[in-house]
Amino acid sequence: MLVIWTKKRERVMPKSKKQGSQQDTLPEDFDSLEEFWEFWDTHSTFDYEDFMEDVDVSIDIHTSKVYYPVAKDLLAQLQTHARQQGVSTETLINLWLREKVM
């Protein structure tokens, strides 16, 4: 899947509340994810549209996983074993299958 973002030709969103007031400077970089989240939780990307660049993004949506049905009673036992070993059920199944196949 190919995703391409382009600039809007016209503004379809209502004007920002900050339109007449001074907006905060857009940081070049954030020191942590928390700082990033805090900034964008309190600011609108609409206010910073002029600072943003168009980007081309390619996303591979194919997965290398295959899913097989597992009986509910067996799944409950697998989940118990996985919890006891401190791993996910998926990891436990893959480890056991690897032992048997290889």
Side-chain angles (χ1 to χ4, degrees), residues 8 16-17 34 43 46 60 63-64 68 72 75 80 82 85 90 97-98 100:
K8 297 177 190 163
S16 170
K17 294 178 187 174
E34 287 77 17
H43 296 79
F46 181 74
D60 181 10
T63 179
S64 62
Y68 292 98
K72 286 184 182 182
L75 179 60
T80 301
Q85 294 187 24
E90 179 180 351
L97 288 171
R98 195 171 306 254
K100 292 291 183 186

Side-chain angles (χ1 to χ4, degrees), residues 38-95:
E38 185 177 322
F39 182 85
W40 289 115
D41 280 347
T42 58
H43 296 79
S44 170
T45 55
F46 181 74
D47 294 330
Y48 298 91
E49 190 173 311
D50 294 337
F51 298 102
M52 297 183 187
E53 299 175 9
D54 294 343
V55 295
D56 291 333
V57 177
S58 180
I59 300 171
D60 181 10
I61 59 171
H62 297 91
T63 179
S64 62
K65 295 181 180 182
V66 178
Y67 296 93
Y68 292 98
V70 176
K72 286 184 182 182
D73 60 325
L74 182 56
L75 179 60
Q77 292 175 14
L78 287 167
Q79 289 171 329
T80 301
H81 282 286
R83 239 180 273 115
Q84 289 171 348
Q85 294 187 24
V87 296
S88 69
T89 306
E90 179 180 351
T91 298
L92 180 66
I93 291 170
N94 281 298
L95 288 171

Side-chain angles (χ1 to χ4, degrees), residues 25-33 35-36 39-40:
T25 304
L26 180 64
E28 287 289 322
D29 199 6
F30 296 93
D31 292 329
S32 66
L33 278 176
E35 187 179 318
F36 171 84
F39 182 85
W40 289 115

Side-chain angles (χ1 to χ4, degrees), residues 1-33:
M1 172 192 290
L2 177 64
V3 179
I4 300 175
W5 280 271
T6 58
K7 288 193 177 211
K8 297 177 190 163
R9 293 179 192 208
E10 62 183 76
R11 294 184 183 240
V12 290
M13 293 179 64
K15 293 205 181 268
S16 170
K17 294 178 187 174
K18 291 187 173 187
Q19 195 68 14
S21 63
Q22 185 77 15
Q23 72 183 26
D24 293 335
T25 304
L26 180 64
E28 287 289 322
D29 199 6
F30 296 93
D31 292 329
S32 66
L33 278 176

